[in-house]
Amino acid sequence: MVEDVNENTTVFPGEVIKDVKAVKGVTILGPGLKRNEDPPNTLRITRAGKLQFKPPNIYWVSHNHKRYIPKRGDLVVGIIVKKAGDSLRIDIGSGEYASLSMLAFEGATKKQKPDVQVGDVIYGKLLNAHREMEPELVCVDSYFKAGKMGPLSNDGFVFTVSLGLVHRLLDPENPILTALGKVFPYEIAVGMNGKVWVNGRNTKEVLTVLRCLETAELHDDKVIVELCRQSK
Amino acid sequence: MSSEDLLVCLPGQRLCLSDHTHVSGQGTYERQGYIYSTLAGTVDIVDKDNVKIIEVHTSGKQTLVPSQGDIVTAQIHTITQQFCKCHIKCIGDKVLGRHYRGILRREDVRVTEKDRVEIYKSFRPGDVILARVLPITEAHTYQLSTAENELGVVTAHSEHGHLMVPISWTEMQCSKTFVKEARKVAKVVPESVQQGLNEN
């Protein structure tokens, strides 16, 4: 039981929160929370982390997990595992492999399918993701334009980071990636599933980016910016 | 019949000649002029209008298999984008001792707009459905179809675990949280109403 909810209350799955604040009977729940029915108007925690509250009525659990749970609309980096007829099976780090239709690429028709092989890296968007079914990926948006999605070059390098770091990197105000970019140019694709694809001019620079992100998991942004400034 | 007269037979055992006085009954079949047994059990001869009906009775339940056109009750256990896999629990109104495997393809879910069907919006794991058996093509798996108004989901539970009530042929509503979920609902007419219709 959690008596008072403040920013840094660490909670575990199964705990129940009472005295939920609501505006006209409406409470907004973010990730990690579910509605509890036994004592009415209580919440049940489903993910371990820190319970956060934003007045007037928004609750969520912020966590730094490694296991990705597919969510609709996420942009993810995946690796092709199998080619089965008209669709590809992609490993996105979730419980089940995702399916990606060969026709879901820009300019693809039944006669002309994209040239992708097993082991290629794909940047795609999750069309739907339910817990009972395998997730479905697409590499085009609703106007059939690819944008930045599609196959990624095989010259790059794919590695896994924790989901907390992914959220930090995707924040536009985060200085890590721009600070690195000032030292040398590189290409990066960050997937919401924790997989990151990096491409650089040579192996040493790619490995530098990799080490930098590994350090960023454990240290603050300022440390990384400082390191980049020094190495310039 | 005393126990010495009891004839025990095996499946495939030839029982007697088939002519106008001997007719094959339950548990037997006729092939090339002879009557053979299909079950392992005891032979029973029933006299009816000067015709002897040869039957074979077995202890325990007779194995019942779905045949084409039967309406079966199945419970869905797996769904994918292309099909649902289910366990066939009853054939007609007879409950089976063991379940059979059934598969329900995306094109057989409904009659109209077959290619725009989304399995996730028609069925979920745990739903109990009424379906019709299509012509049998594969061994051990029965192809099912719910492409009729009276076929589809009969009972389903919501994501919160409560029983859902049908509100239209595409939606069901949870009885506790009132959340609506999409399903392909069967138009099940209650027995009392059906009887009333039949009488009229």
mmCIF file of all heavy atoms in Angstrom, chain B residues 47-65:
data_model
loop_
_atom_site.group_PDB
_atom_site.id
_atom_site.type_symbol
_atom_site.label_atom_id
_atom_site.label_comp_id
_atom_site.label_asym_id
_atom_site.label_seq_id
_atom_site.Cartn_x
_atom_site.Cartn_y
_atom_site.Cartn_z
ATOM 1 N N ASP B 47 -35.019 -57.553 -34.584
ATOM 2 C CA ASP B 47 -36.035 -58.003 -35.561
ATOM 3 C C ASP B 47 -37.064 -56.919 -35.750
ATOM 4 O O ASP B 47 -37.713 -56.490 -34.812
ATOM 5 C CB ASP B 47 -36.741 -59.262 -35.017
ATOM 6 C CG ASP B 47 -36.167 -60.518 -35.626
ATOM 7 O OD1 ASP B 47 -35.912 -60.485 -36.861
ATOM 8 O OD2 ASP B 47 -35.958 -61.488 -34.890
ATOM 9 N N LYS B 48 -37.236 -56.502 -36.981
ATOM 10 C CA LYS B 48 -38.199 -55.421 -37.228
ATOM 11 C C LYS B 48 -38.852 -55.686 -38.579
ATOM 12 O O LYS B 48 -38.174 -55.681 -39.605
ATOM 13 C CB LYS B 48 -37.445 -54.083 -37.256
ATOM 14 C CG LYS B 48 -38.273 -52.880 -36.933
ATOM 15 C CD LYS B 48 -37.357 -51.683 -36.785
ATOM 16 C CE LYS B 48 -38.171 -50.401 -36.937
ATOM 17 N NZ LYS B 48 -37.353 -49.215 -37.033
ATOM 18 N N ASP B 49 -40.126 -55.903 -38.615
ATOM 19 C CA ASP B 49 -40.892 -56.148 -39.862
ATOM 20 C C ASP B 49 -40.275 -57.261 -40.673
ATOM 21 O O ASP B 49 -40.039 -57.136 -41.870
ATOM 22 C CB ASP B 49 -40.910 -54.878 -40.762
ATOM 23 C CG ASP B 49 -41.495 -53.692 -40.037
ATOM 24 O OD1 ASP B 49 -42.368 -53.907 -39.175
ATOM 25 O OD2 ASP B 49 -41.061 -52.567 -40.333
ATOM 26 N N ASN B 50 -39.945 -58.378 -40.024
ATOM 27 C CA ASN B 50 -39.345 -59.544 -40.694
ATOM 28 C C ASN B 50 -37.971 -59.256 -41.275
ATOM 29 O O ASN B 50 -37.459 -60.029 -42.080
ATOM 30 C CB ASN B 50 -40.242 -60.068 -41.828
ATOM 31 C CG ASN B 50 -41.502 -60.674 -41.271
ATOM 32 O OD1 ASN B 50 -41.494 -61.168 -40.143
ATOM 33 N ND2 ASN B 50 -42.573 -60.625 -42.043
ATOM 34 N N VAL B 51 -37.392 -58.156 -40.897
ATOM 35 C CA VAL B 51 -36.043 -57.855 -41.381
ATOM 36 C C VAL B 51 -35.133 -57.814 -40.171
ATOM 37 O O VAL B 51 -35.480 -57.236 -39.142
ATOM 38 C CB VAL B 51 -36.015 -56.494 -42.116
ATOM 39 C CG1 VAL B 51 -34.598 -56.051 -42.380
ATOM 40 C CG2 VAL B 51 -36.807 -56.572 -43.411
ATOM 41 N N LYS B 52 -33.960 -58.471 -40.300
ATOM 42 C CA LYS B 52 -33.030 -58.468 -39.164
ATOM 43 C C LYS B 52 -32.051 -57.311 -39.348
ATOM 44 O O LYS B 52 -31.345 -57.236 -40.354
ATOM 45 C CB LYS B 52 -32.265 -59.793 -39.123
ATOM 46 C CG LYS B 52 -33.127 -60.993 -38.782
ATOM 47 C CD LYS B 52 -32.260 -62.153 -38.295
ATOM 48 C CE LYS B 52 -33.102 -63.238 -37.700
ATOM 49 N NZ LYS B 52 -33.590 -64.219 -38.666
ATOM 50 N N ILE B 53 -32.025 -56.429 -38.365
ATOM 51 C CA ILE B 53 -31.071 -55.317 -38.415
ATOM 52 C C ILE B 53 -29.886 -55.693 -37.542
ATOM 53 O O ILE B 53 -30.041 -55.973 -36.349
ATOM 54 C CB ILE B 53 -31.700 -54.011 -37.898
ATOM 55 C CG1 ILE B 53 -32.955 -53.680 -38.720
ATOM 56 C CG2 ILE B 53 -30.703 -52.866 -37.975
ATOM 57 C CD1 ILE B 53 -33.650 -52.428 -38.286
ATOM 58 N N ILE B 54 -28.706 -55.729 -38.174
ATOM 59 C CA ILE B 54 -27.490 -56.105 -37.435
ATOM 60 C C ILE B 54 -26.864 -54.833 -36.882
ATOM 61 O O ILE B 54 -26.544 -53.898 -37.630
ATOM 62 C CB ILE B 54 -26.472 -56.773 -38.379
ATOM 63 C CG1 ILE B 54 -27.156 -57.738 -39.351
ATOM 64 C CG2 ILE B 54 -25.354 -57.413 -37.597
ATOM 65 C CD1 ILE B 54 -27.249 -59.139 -38.887
ATOM 66 N N GLU B 55 -26.706 -54.799 -35.556
ATOM 67 C CA GLU B 55 -26.080 -53.636 -34.930
ATOM 68 C C GLU B 55 -24.898 -54.088 -34.093
ATOM 69 O O GLU B 55 -24.870 -55.214 -33.616
ATOM 70 C CB GLU B 55 -27.077 -52.935 -34.004
ATOM 71 C CG GLU B 55 -28.189 -52.219 -34.716
ATOM 72 C CD GLU B 55 -29.126 -51.552 -33.720
ATOM 73 O OE1 GLU B 55 -28.899 -51.724 -32.503
ATOM 74 O OE2 GLU B 55 -30.067 -50.898 -34.150
ATOM 75 N N VAL B 56 -23.941 -53.199 -33.918
ATOM 76 C CA VAL B 56 -22.819 -53.488 -33.015
ATOM 77 C C VAL B 56 -22.820 -52.419 -31.938
ATOM 78 O O VAL B 56 -22.842 -51.222 -32.225
ATOM 79 C CB VAL B 56 -21.471 -53.467 -33.775
ATOM 80 C CG1 VAL B 56 -20.329 -53.717 -32.809
ATOM 81 C CG2 VAL B 56 -21.467 -54.498 -34.883
ATOM 82 N N HIS B 57 -22.834 -52.890 -30.686
ATOM 83 C CA HIS B 57 -22.811 -51.945 -29.576
ATOM 84 C C HIS B 57 -21.490 -52.036 -28.862
ATOM 85 O O HIS B 57 -20.952 -53.116 -28.669
ATOM 86 C CB HIS B 57 -23.938 -52.269 -28.590
ATOM 87 C CG HIS B 57 -25.281 -52.040 -29.188
ATOM 88 N ND1 HIS B 57 -25.800 -50.786 -29.367
ATOM 89 C CD2 HIS B 57 -26.181 -52.902 -29.685
ATOM 90 C CE1 HIS B 57 -26.981 -50.877 -29.928
ATOM 91 N NE2 HIS B 57 -27.243 -52.165 -30.141
ATOM 92 N N THR B 58 -20.985 -50.893 -28.462
ATOM 93 C CA THR B 58 -19.716 -50.883 -27.736
ATOM 94 C C THR B 58 -19.920 -50.183 -26.402
ATOM 95 O O THR B 58 -20.756 -49.298 -26.281
ATOM 96 C CB THR B 58 -18.627 -50.177 -28.560
ATOM 97 O OG1 THR B 58 -17.434 -50.139 -27.801
ATOM 98 C CG2 THR B 58 -19.027 -48.758 -28.889
ATOM 99 N N SER B 59 -19.156 -50.615 -25.416
ATOM 100 C CA SER B 59 -19.253 -49.921 -24.134
ATOM 101 C C SER B 59 -18.488 -48.620 -24.274
ATOM 102 O O SER B 59 -17.530 -48.519 -25.011
ATOM 103 C CB SER B 59 -18.627 -50.770 -23.035
ATOM 104 O OG SER B 59 -17.265 -50.958 -23.309
ATOM 105 N N GLY B 60 -18.896 -47.642 -23.530
ATOM 106 C CA GLY B 60 -18.225 -46.353 -23.670
ATOM 107 C C GLY B 60 -18.832 -45.582 -24.825
ATOM 108 O O GLY B 60 -19.712 -46.062 -25.531
ATOM 109 N N LYS B 61 -18.338 -44.390 -25.001
ATOM 110 C CA LYS B 61 -18.946 -43.515 -26.012
ATOM 111 C C LYS B 61 -18.429 -43.876 -27.396
ATOM 112 O O LYS B 61 -17.268 -44.204 -27.572
ATOM 113 C CB LYS B 61 -18.593 -42.066 -25.713
ATOM 114 C CG LYS B 61 -19.499 -41.466 -24.681
ATOM 115 C CD LYS B 61 -19.374 -39.967 -24.719
ATOM 116 C CE LYS B 61 -18.999 -39.475 -23.340
ATOM 117 N NZ LYS B 61 -18.988 -38.036 -23.245
ATOM 118 N N GLN B 62 -19.297 -43.748 -28.362
ATOM 119 C CA GLN B 62 -18.873 -43.930 -29.738
ATOM 120 C C GLN B 62 -18.086 -42.712 -30.166
ATOM 121 O O GLN B 62 -18.415 -41.596 -29.794
ATOM 122 C CB GLN B 62 -20.119 -44.029 -30.618
ATOM 123 C CG GLN B 62 -20.245 -45.370 -31.257
ATOM 124 C CD GLN B 62 -21.408 -45.373 -32.211
ATOM 125 O OE1 GLN B 62 -22.429 -44.777 -31.947
ATOM 126 N NE2 GLN B 62 -21.232 -46.027 -33.321
ATOM 127 N N THR B 63 -17.065 -42.976 -30.975
ATOM 128 C CA THR B 63 -16.273 -41.834 -31.435
ATOM 129 C C THR B 63 -17.084 -41.040 -32.429
ATOM 130 O O THR B 63 -17.609 -41.590 -33.400
ATOM 131 C CB THR B 63 -15.005 -42.322 -32.149
ATOM 132 O OG1 THR B 63 -14.603 -43.520 -31.541
ATOM 133 C CG2 THR B 63 -13.914 -41.296 -32.038
ATOM 134 N N LEU B 64 -17.177 -39.783 -32.177
ATOM 135 C CA LEU B 64 -17.942 -38.907 -33.050
ATOM 136 C C LEU B 64 -16.956 -37.979 -33.738
ATOM 137 O O LEU B 64 -16.106 -37.379 -33.083
ATOM 138 C CB LEU B 64 -18.900 -38.104 -32.173
ATOM 139 C CG LEU B 64 -20.074 -37.430 -32.830
ATOM 140 C CD1 LEU B 64 -20.904 -38.435 -33.593
ATOM 141 C CD2 LEU B 64 -20.925 -36.780 -31.747
ATOM 142 N N VAL B 65 -17.028 -37.894 -35.060
ATOM 143 C CA VAL B 65 -16.145 -36.969 -35.773
ATOM 144 C C VAL B 65 -16.985 -35.953 -36.517
ATOM 145 O O VAL B 65 -18.076 -36.277 -36.989
ATOM 146 C CB VAL B 65 -15.214 -37.696 -36.777
ATOM 147 C CG1 VAL B 65 -13.974 -38.152 -36.102
ATOM 148 C CG2 VAL B 65 -15.920 -38.810 -37.463
#
